[in-house]
Amino acid sequence: MPPPLSYGEPKPYNRCFLSQENFLSLEDDLLKQRLERIREIEALGYRAYGHRFDFTHTIPAILAAYATKTAEELLPEVRVRVAGRMMTVRHMGKAGFAHLQQNGERFQIYVKKDAVGERDFQLFKLLDIGDIVGVEGYLFRTRTGELSIHAERLDFLSKTLLSMPEKWHGLEDVEIRYRQRYLDLIANPEVRKVFVTRARIVASLRRQLEALDFIDVETPMMQPLYGGAAARPFVTHHNTLDIDLYLRIAPELYLKRLVVGGLERVYEINRNFRNEGLSTHHNPEFTMLEFYQAYTDYRGLMDLTEALLKQTALDAAGSTDIEYCGEHLDFSHLERYTMSEAIVRFWEGDDRPTLDDVASRDWLLRHSGKPTAGEALADIFEQRVESKLIQPSIIYDYPVETSPLSKTKADDPAFVERFEIYAAGMELGNAYTELNDPQEQRRRFEMQIVLRERGDDEAHQMDEDYVRALSYAMPPTGGEGIGIDRLTMILTGSRSIRDVILFPLLRPEGPVDLVRSLRELDNEAKRP
RNA sequence: GGGCCGGUAGCUCAGGUGGUAGAGCAUGUGCCUUUUAAGCACAGGGUCGCGGGUUCGAAUCCCGCCCGGCUCACCA
């Protein structure tokens, strides 16, 4: 094999002079065959890359309408025109069968030379698995009973140059599945279902929120200051303004400005970006639903959350009983525990604390390395409880230290009116009664700045305009964020967040040799 | 970033305890007018992830690196 070529370099060899067929790699060989096949298809009078095709049915529509019909019920003949990607083919001399796939479903066609004529039959013999074709004919049942199209005409619509994944096992290499999602979608019908369900989840949430008079808004993804969450941001740069901008880690502070402005119920479903590690539960860009409702508090949001999740489960999965990794999750209601109660209840081991223990500063500091009682409480919760919250649950009343944007409880300023939603051991969402006192908000930001100066680069920056906005009076408001990716994981039974994101972030894969091969074969074809 | 596992034909995988590789599908050529993982015959296709080392000889052993998965840390 010659070394790989970079683009501008002169070729150190010329394949024409080598005149060795087997010098070509398999892939080049295949490409060459397919490119030659395009010429043969064109010689028969078809276009290799067709234009419009007017179909009478999609494949799923035919199946929906006729899958249960008997041979007798298909008389008089039902004529159809359909298009699809050829996924299997069985040639038998002067006839053959193939399956076309469209929108995730397959339908068999029967192509008989006597029925389609010489030219279309020549075309049929030239088809490769993966080609996109159109077919016209009538419905019938084969000897083995499969509903099929008895073809009377074939059209050629688009040529595949590369071979499809293996027909029996499909595409299993997860790296190829994520990098070349188009192939994954062709080869693995269940993958398509996951993303259809994801779309249903988003549609369900939008429909429910719209019904409650929430307004769909879009706020900046590129922000001069980042806030609304504790996370490290991505940084980018605007050339004309010559300023650095941050990809948002949350839309929160903008959405609350809108509540100040009188958009009393707003929601946004969009991407957040956090410059952190990747895992089965974390992708650097992820989709959040955030919504804000004036004149409610976290108790009101708990009820709303319960209703939202229940209906979303019904719309997306058809049931509130969701099986996830061997567990039955019941989305018909949400268990509610304070953080302190959850620690007592889900503690594993002999030294189970009492509620008094969990309220004791000494006990808390003995069980965590964190400097304050509140941080210790949150730390202990995360370490010992979070992963055990399998059933959909609400954990409420968070320590003030970890919640710079939440309103404190009237009867206990050490805690804030905040809750998080958990299911399958994962955090699904976060909500609180919004802090709307600008003086208090200013103090909280200043506390964050102290943390930042101590080296915590996830601490909030001072957002002066946000304090200014609150100074115009924000109504009492409840706000909530729900992670769409994680919710989708649960409602589709996906173990990894990468399975619910069409193009999850991966390291770049390096050079793809296909372009070079195509160029060389093109040059070769043009040579006299 | 740490630990563990993996990378062999286009795809799905076997093999290997050192002697330059196999199967099925896919591909090519024949035969076959109701098959369906169609069948039969023949054929082509591999830098065994990359680089280095040990060795007469490395796909196999050693080291480094790249890519991926799981997991821990961090986070939502």
Side-chain angles (χ1 to χ4, degrees):
Chain A
M1 279 290 282
L5 301 176
S6 59
Y7 288 166
E9 245 172 88
K11 287 172 150 191
Y13 70 100
N14 184 329
R15 278 178 181 167
C16 285
F17 297 144
L18 293 171
S19 70
Q20 278 291 319
E21 282 294 304
N22 61 6
F23 185 80
L24 295 172
S25 72
L26 172 62
E27 205 157 20
D28 281 357
D29 215 1
L30 187 80
L31 266 179
K32 204 172 177 173
Q33 284 167 16
R34 300 268 164 113
L35 291 168
E36 173 57 29
R37 209 152 265 191
I38 286 177
R39 287 190 279 276
E40 295 175 54
I41 287 166
E42 287 170 343
L44 285 172
Y46 302 92
R47 289 200 238 211
Y49 296 96
H51 291 243
R52 170 172 176 152
F53 181 79
D54 292 315
F55 54 85
T56 60
H57 299 71
T58 62
I59 283 171
I62 299 193
L63 287 168
Y66 299 105
T68 61
K69 297 281 193 270
T70 63
E72 295 72 41
E73 289 170 319
L74 295 171
L75 294 171
E77 285 170 3
V78 179
R79 299 198 60 79
V80 296
R81 270 166 71 79
V82 301
R85 186 185 293 274
M86 190 171 86
M87 297 304 288
T88 66
V89 65
R90 296 167 292 283
H91 289 285
M92 290 169 301
K94 295 181 183 62
F97 289 91
H99 277 101
L100 303 189
Q101 176 171 298
Q102 184 183 32
N103 295 348
E105 299 198 65
R106 293 186 179 187
F107 203 88
Q108 182 169 264
I109 63 170
Y110 175 55
V111 182
K112 188 165 69 163
K113 189 173 179 180
D114 294 346
V116 297
E118 179 69 36
R119 174 167 161 268
D120 282 0
F121 197 73
Q122 287 303 314
L123 174 66
F124 179 63
K125 288 200 289 188
L126 289 173
L127 296 181
D128 289 304
I129 289 173
D131 286 350
I132 295 172
V133 298
V135 59
E136 179 173 350
Y138 58 89
L139 297 180
F140 77 114
R141 285 202 179 269
T142 63
R143 233 171 245 170
T144 53
E146 181 167 346
L147 184 63
S148 307
I149 296 171
H150 200 287
E152 293 178 329
R153 208 181 132 198
L154 284 184
D155 263 305
F156 194 80
L157 299 176
S158 196
K159 184 72 203 157
T160 178
L161 297 179
L162 299 172
S163 57
M164 287 290 122
E166 204 242 5
K167 65 183 170 190
W168 191 240
H169 299 89
L171 181 63
E172 299 199 348
D173 184 321
V174 290
E175 189 173 347
I176 300 176
R177 289 188 44 225
Y178 297 148
R179 286 194 195 284
Q180 297 177 255
R181 185 67 91 180
Y182 41 91
L183 261 194
D184 192 26
L185 287 164
I186 292 168
N188 300 317
E190 65 282 5
V191 172
R192 178 191 178 90
K193 291 201 186 90
V194 166
F195 292 102
V196 169
T197 301
R198 183 179 172 125
R200 277 207 209 111
I201 289 167
V202 172
S204 170
L205 288 167
R206 279 190 198 283
R207 190 164 52 239
Q208 294 179 72
L209 290 165
E210 296 285 340
L212 293 168
D213 291 327
F214 280 84
I215 297 170
D216 184 2
V217 297
E218 290 171 90
T219 59
M221 307 274 248
M222 295 194 294
Q223 305 178 345
L225 293 170
Y226 60 95
R232 282 152 61 195
F234 289 92
V235 187
T236 186
H237 187 80
H238 187 275
N239 288 339
T240 307
L241 295 180
D242 191 24
I243 50 169
D244 282 341
L245 291 166
Y246 302 100
L247 300 189
R248 74 176 187 196
I249 57 174
E252 169 154 357
L253 299 181
Y254 284 93
L255 291 171
K256 282 188 280 192
R257 285 171 168 94
L258 297 179
V259 176
V260 171
L263 299 180
E264 293 187 347
R265 295 187 177 196
V266 290
Y267 76 96
E268 177 164 8
I269 297 177
N270 223 324
R271 229 68 64 78
N272 291 338
F273 307 87
R274 299 190 185 172
N275 205 338
E276 322 242 333
L278 295 78
S279 79
T280 47
H281 296 66
H282 300 85
N283 194 61
E285 57 177 313
F286 64 102
T287 302
M288 283 266 284
L289 159 66
E290 279 207 22
F291 57 93
Y292 290 81
Q293 178 178 342
Y295 306 111
T296 191
D297 68 357
Y298 77 143
R299 295 275 173 188
L301 291 178
M302 288 183 200
D303 297 338
L304 175 55
T305 301
E306 195 164 73
L308 276 178
L309 291 184
K310 178 179 177 180
Q311 187 61 44
T312 304
L314 285 170
D315 288 344
S319 170
T320 55
D321 178 21
I322 304 295
E323 192 175 336
Y324 184 74
C325 298
E327 303 271 2
H328 280 275
L329 307 185
D330 178 7
F331 275 91
S332 65
H333 73 292
L334 299 173
E335 296 294 339
R336 301 181 190 187
Y337 311 100
T338 65
M339 182 176 278
S340 301
E341 284 168 357
I343 290 174
V344 172
R345 183 186 172 98
F346 292 95
W347 188 278
E348 279 180 7
D350 302 332
D351 49 347
R352 178 195 292 261
T354 62
L355 274 177
D356 286 340
D357 288 334
V358 180
S360 140
R361 185 185 144 82
D362 280 353
W363 186 91
L364 289 169
L365 294 182
R366 256 186 288 125
H367 286 82
S368 166
K370 298 289 180 184
T372 68
E375 287 172 278
L377 181 71
D379 181 47
I380 292 165
F381 170 77
E382 280 168 26
Q383 298 299 323
R384 313 205 54 145
V385 179
E386 200 176 305
S387 63
K388 301 191 175 61
L389 294 171
I390 304 303
Q391 285 305 317
S393 306
I394 278 174
I395 303 298
Y396 64 99
D397 289 358
Y398 276 59
V400 66
E401 291 93 326
T402 58
S403 314
L405 301 162
S406 319
K407 184 177 278 186
T408 50
K409 284 172 71 75
D411 57 354
D412 187 354
F415 286 88
V416 293
E417 295 188 357
R418 173 180 176 188
F419 69 87
E420 291 192 337
I421 309 154
Y422 287 88
M426 274 190 296
E427 186 188 334
L428 285 188
N430 180 22
Y432 36 85
T433 309
E434 302 298 335
L435 176 57
N436 62 341
D437 173 349
Q439 193 65 286
E440 173 65 13
Q441 183 65 70
R442 190 215 86 231
R443 285 194 289 271
R444 300 269 191 101
F445 275 144
E446 282 168 355
M447 278 167 57
Q448 290 286 309
I449 286 164
V450 172
L451 292 178
R452 174 167 284 272
E453 280 163 359
R454 280 197 218 132
D456 181 356
D457 52 3
E458 294 186 356
H460 272 76
Q461 299 162 288
M462 173 64 74
D463 188 332
E464 294 198 42
D465 177 69
Y466 179 66
V467 174
R468 178 167 63 185
L470 292 186
S471 300
Y472 284 103
M474 180 171 81
T477 297
E480 176 162 340
I482 293 177
I484 298 297
D485 312 278
R486 289 183 179 179
L487 181 58
T488 304
M489 286 171 68
I490 288 175
L491 296 181
T492 59
S494 303
R495 276 176 185 279
S496 170
I497 201 167
R498 292 185 199 97
D499 292 323
V500 301
I501 293 174
L502 282 165
F503 299 99
L505 184 67
L506 299 175
R507 280 201 165 79
E509 72 176 316
V512 178
D513 285 334
L514 176 64
V515 167
R516 180 172 58 88
S517 298
L518 283 173
R519 183 186 308 111
E520 288 177 9
L521 290 169
D522 202 22
N523 291 339
E524 207 169 298
K526 284 174 184 155
R527 228 169 269 135

